[in-house]
């Protein structure tokens, strides 16, 4: 998950816009090509209409993504540039104020859509913001531990220490 956490929803929106502005048009076009079976969007005017004929290339690729993108293009009359930049950095479920991000994580976890999360820092300072703002909410809800049971990762997971196979072989040889 790439959480984008702001102290307010407005701050999170601003941070998300900052994240989207970091993507170059070339990278966005390349990312857009994936569900369209690597269709070459670079041959079209980026400020022109989205080439709807590209949808046929996605028929044997990721149809659900293609259908979602084409629906947005038609509903909002998006240019190729607007489409590429929007779908290169899709707004995930974990963008918002701390409560909203915690609510989304909780819904995914309790809905059994995830049994844990791997976090990526989307912008500098976002991991720190997540730890300071979201983790205490998850801890208060009993969804994130406040302490570890053991002194090692293995002990905290409740795993036995494995026998050393080499020491066992030496003992058996004697």
């Amino acid at each position: 998950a790439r959480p984008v956490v702001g102290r307010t929803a407005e701050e999170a929106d601003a941070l998300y816009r900052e994240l989207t502005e970091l993507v170059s048009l070339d990278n966005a076009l390349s990312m857009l090509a994936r569900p369209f079976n690597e269709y070459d969007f670079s041959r079209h005017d980026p400020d022109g209409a989205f080439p709807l004929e590209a949808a046929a290339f996605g028929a044997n690729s990721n149809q659900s993504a293609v259908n979602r993108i084409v629906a947005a293009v038609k509903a909002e009359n998006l240019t190729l540039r607007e489409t590429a930049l929007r779908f290169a950095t899709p707004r995930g479920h974990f963008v918002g104020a701390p409560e909203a991000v915690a609510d989304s994580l909780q819904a995914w976890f309790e809905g059994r859509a995830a049994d844990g999360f791997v976090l990526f820092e989307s912008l500098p300072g976002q991991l720190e913001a997540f730890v300071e703002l979201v983790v205490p909410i998850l801890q208060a809800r009993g969804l994130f531990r406040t302490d570890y049971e053991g002194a090692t990762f293995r002990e905290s997971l409740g795993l036995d220490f494995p026998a050393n196979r080499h020491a066992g072989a030496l003992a058996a040889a004697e």
Side-chain angles (χ1 to χ4, degrees):
R2 291 187 192 274
V4 177
V5 182
R7 294 192 183 282
T8 65
E10 293 77 19
E11 183 181 330
D13 288 340
L15 288 166
Y16 175 73
R17 281 192 303 278
E18 180 182 334
L19 175 64
T20 62
E21 290 168 3
L22 296 173
V23 177
S24 72
L25 179 59
D26 288 340
N27 285 343
L29 290 172
S30 177
M31 293 170 79
L32 180 64
R34 290 179 185 156
F36 291 88
N37 204 24
E38 301 303 327
Y39 181 84
D40 182 13
F41 286 103
S42 68
R43 65 185 186 189
H44 298 280
D45 176 8
D47 296 313
F50 179 89
L52 290 173
E53 67 271 14
F57 290 88
N60 292 324
S61 188
N62 187 340
Q63 288 184 25
S64 63
V66 169
N67 292 342
R68 185 176 67 253
I69 292 167
V70 169
V73 165
K74 289 179 178 178
E76 300 174 46
N77 198 28
L78 299 174
T79 66
L80 176 57
R81 178 187 307 273
E82 291 168 332
T83 305
L85 292 173
R86 176 184 298 181
F87 289 97
T89 54
R91 186 181 174 100
H93 296 274
F94 311 115
V95 176
E99 281 285 333
V101 172
D103 290 346
S104 293
L105 289 165
Q106 182 173 1
W108 278 54
F109 180 71
E110 290 178 348
R112 301 181 61 90
D115 60 1
F117 296 91
V118 175
L119 301 179
F120 298 93
E121 187 169 38
S122 52
L123 289 168
Q126 280 297 290
L127 186 57
E128 183 178 319
F130 184 85
V131 170
E132 289 178 7
L133 302 171
V134 179
V135 168
I137 296 168
L138 296 173
Q139 287 175 328
R141 295 178 184 181
L143 297 170
F144 196 99
R145 64 178 74 206
T146 57
D147 202 6
Y148 290 91
E149 295 80 18
T152 66
F153 185 57
R154 176 178 294 283
E155 289 172 352
S156 293
L157 292 177
L159 300 174
D160 293 331
F161 193 80
N164 184 318
R165 66 176 184 227
H166 301 293
L170 283 175
E174 292 177 354

